Amino acid sequence: MMTKNTTSSNSLLKNSKRIIIKIGSALVTDMEKGTVRSEWLQTLAGDIHSLRDKEIIVVSSGAIALGRKSLGIDLLTPSKDLKIEQKQAAASIGQIKLMNAFQTAFSKAGLEISQILLNPKDTENRRTHLNARATLETLLKNNFIPVINENDTTATEEIRFGDNDKLAARVAQMMEADLLLILSTTDGLYTDNPSLNPNAQHISVIKNITEDVLNIAGEAPNGVSTGGMKSKIEASQIAVNAGTHVIITSGKPHNPLQEMLNRSQRSTLLLATDTPHNARKRWIAAHLQHKGAIQIDEGALKALKSGKSLLPIGVIGVTGVFERGDAIAIQDSHGKTFAIGLCGYHSEDTKKIKGKQSSEIEAVLGHAGRGVLVHRNDMVLMEGGKV
Ligand code: GLU
């Protein structure tokens, strides 16, 4: 997926296969008018079209900014000063406007989009995580550009992502993205606030997000945006730990991606230390507190060791009570655990389909589930192996 030792933002963008592009409210909306910056969006759609060899997921803010005017909220009132119900009502109004604008711009560029509204639990809870991941995979396979926003209208203050930087980072983690490209109004991180200190130096590469890095990143400026550099660095921490490189750059110019590729526009690159695949394995392995176990036969054991997914036909026993997406121990016929995986079925259904061919699942359960019980990407072998 990635070529090794690519350390410039430009080449990372070229070489990444799966990219999450995060767009801030201040780019997609005209803050003074409370409308979409349609021309700019059109050029972004054109840029995305020229990267069709990649899988691209967009995370866009802008719903609250676009809905405020209809509620009679002064466009200059900072987002943080609005009441939660005002923000939620504004998001409900603005999200349609946002998606209408995306649909118009992207279809003109020959691209099809889909909308996904996520809550934090959809990326963190393993059950909904498996669903959201499978949905996004299906959309990508069918050449759609998913456009994601937080499900603002139902989220309460305590269970909000709070900012789309963090949401984009969680999506990058969930989807094992190679790159998270944060398009912002500034071209990256500086040693100090460049609008207050003329000696502030631009930082082009960050290998480790240390306390010092977190300290130089300021809070959000007043205005429609929620983020600010601090939230971008915190989000970057989530992404780089998940094996995703992060680029923070200015998305202000028209054709922002071409600007980056052709003119090497300045940016800050935050490097991941591991691959997304290994990071996901670590994430699964961290769930050692499994809810149940399944025992499998010799044939399945061999298949798993050679890197295959676990099919129901290889299962000879099921113990414990677990939900879809829970971590389970995968054991040999003597009860020795050799893998941990996220199970695609809850324990009752697993018992019903054990020993059955995948093609029989629908007849047994009354609905077509997934053909595999534990996908190889959702499994970690305890003693190494190809998974
Ligand atoms: N979800 C919010 C919106 O669409 C934005 C949150 C953010 O700016 O980070 O307006």
Side-chain angles (χ1 to χ4, degrees):
M1 276 208 174
M2 299 283 324
T3 54
K4 281 219 165 103
N5 300 323
T6 47
T7 46
S8 82
S9 296
N10 192 305
S11 55
L12 264 179
L13 180 56
K14 269 190 202 142
N15 293 320
S16 296
K17 174 82 183 72
R18 182 170 282 182
I19 305 175
I20 314 295
I21 301 178
K22 191 265 165 178
I23 307 168
S25 300
L27 291 178
V28 81
T29 66
D30 179 324
M31 296 198 262
E32 279 162 24
K33 298 193 191 127
T35 53
V36 174
R37 291 178 65 220
S38 314
E39 255 181 68
W40 175 87
L41 192 60
Q42 190 65 62
T43 68
L44 176 76
D47 280 3
I48 291 181
H49 185 265
S50 64
L51 300 177
R52 286 313 280 145
D53 57 323
K54 307 183 185 307
E55 293 174 324
I56 293 184
I57 297 173
V58 173
V59 174
S60 180
S61 306
I64 297 174
L66 291 173
R68 297 156 65 110
K69 204 160 91 178
S70 310
L71 285 179
I73 301 168
D74 186 332
L75 294 173
L76 296 175
T77 309
S79 192
K80 61 178 171 43
D81 293 346
L82 302 183
K83 292 200 194 89
I84 179 108
E85 59 271 25
Q86 284 182 306
K87 285 195 237 178
Q88 294 186 310
S92 161
I93 299 162
Q95 182 63 23
I96 310 178
K97 300 184 188 216
L98 185 65
M99 293 314 287
N100 263 332
F102 265 90
Q103 179 119 48
T104 305
F106 279 60
S107 70
K108 271 191 203 157
L111 297 170
E112 287 196 280
I113 60 159
S114 73
Q115 172 191 257
I116 300 205
L117 299 176
L118 288 176
N119 295 313
K121 73 168 172 44
D122 299 328
T123 59
E124 280 155 23
N125 169 303
R126 287 186 304 280
R127 200 170 319 146
T128 44
H129 170 112
L130 281 192
N131 282 351
R133 184 173 144 104
T135 304
L136 279 161
E137 290 287 358
T138 306
L139 289 165
L140 291 175
K141 233 181 251 145
N142 286 283
N143 291 320
F144 280 77
I145 311 277
V147 181
I148 301 179
N149 198 355
E150 181 163 9
N151 194 354
D152 287 306
T153 48
T154 56
T156 67
E157 210 57 271
E158 305 79 62
I159 59 148
R160 294 189 73 215
F161 280 106
D163 66 67
N164 275 3
D165 297 319
K166 211 173 287 158
L167 168 63
R170 289 281 176 217
V171 171
Q173 175 185 37
M174 180 169 79
M175 298 309 293
E176 294 175 60
D178 301 308
L179 177 66
L180 166 60
L181 176 59
I182 301 182
L183 295 179
S184 161
T185 47
T186 54
D187 57 4
L189 192 66
Y190 287 76
T191 51
D192 199 357
N193 185 337
S195 51
L196 301 176
N197 178 357
N199 295 324
Q201 309 255 314
H202 180 264
I203 304 172
S204 57
V205 181
I206 294 176
K207 290 194 177 135
N208 282 310
I209 303 176
T210 56
E211 276 300 311
D212 290 349
V213 173
L214 281 166
N215 287 339
I216 53 172
E219 298 287 349
N222 276 354
V224 295
S225 309
T226 320
M229 205 41 80
K230 191 160 187 199
S231 104
K232 291 182 178 36
I233 302 295
E234 285 168 358
S236 301
Q237 241 173 345
I238 298 171
V240 297
N241 286 338
T244 303
H245 299 292
V246 180
I247 296 173
I248 303 172
T249 192
S250 169
K252 273 192 201 155
H254 279 191
N255 295 102
L257 307 183
Q258 289 307 327
E259 279 293 318
M260 239 190 98
L261 283 170
N262 303 337
R263 282 183 253 275
S264 298
Q265 163 149 300
R266 257 192 342 190
S267 60
T268 297
L269 168 61
L270 299 104
L271 289 167
T273 46
D274 206 346
T275 64
H277 189 69
N278 287 344
R280 182 167 172 82
K281 297 293 174 191
R282 277 204 317 273
W283 179 77
I284 295 169
H287 297 117
L288 282 176
Q289 260 187 331
H290 44 264
K291 296 273 176 67
I294 50 182
Q295 293 78 41
I296 64 174
D297 64 20
E298 279 302 310
L301 188 64
K302 234 168 110 190
L304 256 56
K305 285 189 172 161
S306 71
K308 300 228 166 66
S309 297
L310 177 63
L311 304 178
I313 192 150
V315 178
I316 50 178
V318 182
T319 46
V321 176
F322 49 87
E323 290 294 334
R324 172 172 148 71
D326 275 344
I328 53 161
I330 302 169
Q331 304 174 330
D332 65 15
S333 53
H334 308 291
K336 180 170 177 262
T337 298
F338 68 93
I340 299 288
L342 307 183
C343 196
Y345 288 87
H346 59 67
S347 43
E348 283 313 303
D349 279 354
T350 306
K351 279 179 195 154
K352 286 184 197 154
I353 61 174
K354 105 176 146 72
K356 301 273 193 273
Q357 297 280 0
S358 299
S359 56
E360 295 175 276
I361 294 177
E362 186 166 2
V364 176
L365 298 182
H367 59 85
R370 290 161 212 270
V372 301
L373 196 61
V374 182
H375 195 279
R376 53 176 290 177
N377 290 341
D378 297 328
M379 192 190 307
V380 187
L381 289 192
M382 311 298 281
E383 292 155 18
K386 276 200 190 168
V387 181

